[in-house]
Amino acid sequence: MLQSHLFQKEREIEWEDLGNGIQRQVFGYDERIMLVKAKFEKDAVGDLHEHHHSQVTYVASGVFEMTIGEEVHTIKQGDGYYVPPYVIHGCVCLEPGTLIDSFTPHREDFL
């Protein structure tokens, strides 16, 4: 069975540089679920995209202009959002920040 270690310690997880001011850390996962931290610099853009996963995200810090389908909202620390499967979504970082993403099933493309 595919799964991460039982415990993940931030200081022990390498940041993956995705370019254009975005970095990612992959935390716990198995075939059904995955937790990911994404760090954005000001003006970094999470390009519009879609995937077959359900996604729930918590804004740990920063301010983002988030697009989900036809809706655009400004979200900040303490806010969250849900993206259904196959719905186009993306963001622009207005103030440096971090998003905590959970996906089901896991993002095989992140491993």
Side-chain angles (χ1 to χ4, degrees):
M1 180 168 128
L2 173 73
Q3 77 175 45
S4 64
H5 295 288
L6 295 179
F7 294 92
Q8 302 88 46
K9 298 183 180 180
E10 179 184 42
R11 68 184 175 278
E12 297 173 0
I13 300 172
E14 295 286 327
W15 282 99
E16 179 183 358
D17 187 353
L18 304 178
N20 301 315
I22 304 173
Q23 296 180 8
R24 172 172 64 214
Q25 282 181 313
V26 175
F27 282 75
Y29 60 88
D30 65 17
E31 287 100 351
R32 298 172 309 235
I33 192 166
M34 177 179 272
L35 184 71
V36 176
K37 186 189 306 188
K39 184 166 47 174
F40 289 75
E41 296 175 6
K42 184 180 183 336
D43 298 324
V45 175
D47 293 330
L48 291 172
H49 64 286
E50 64 177 297
H51 44 71
H52 71 274
H53 312 84
S54 293
Q55 176 179 343
V56 177
T57 298
Y58 173 74
V59 183
S61 63
V63 178
F64 298 83
E65 179 180 276
M66 184 70 205
T67 300
I68 303 173
E70 300 296 319
E71 294 191 48
V72 179
H73 289 262
T74 299
I75 56 176
K76 59 183 174 46
Q77 183 176 357
D79 295 338
Y81 58 89
Y82 165 68
V83 182
Y86 301 108
V87 173
I88 293 176
H89 59 286
C91 67
V92 176
C93 183
L94 305 177
E95 293 179 17
T98 301
L99 301 176
I100 309 297
D101 298 321
S102 57
F103 299 98
T104 185
H106 77 285
R107 292 289 304 260
E108 54 282 323
D109 54 324
F110 286 7
L111 299 176

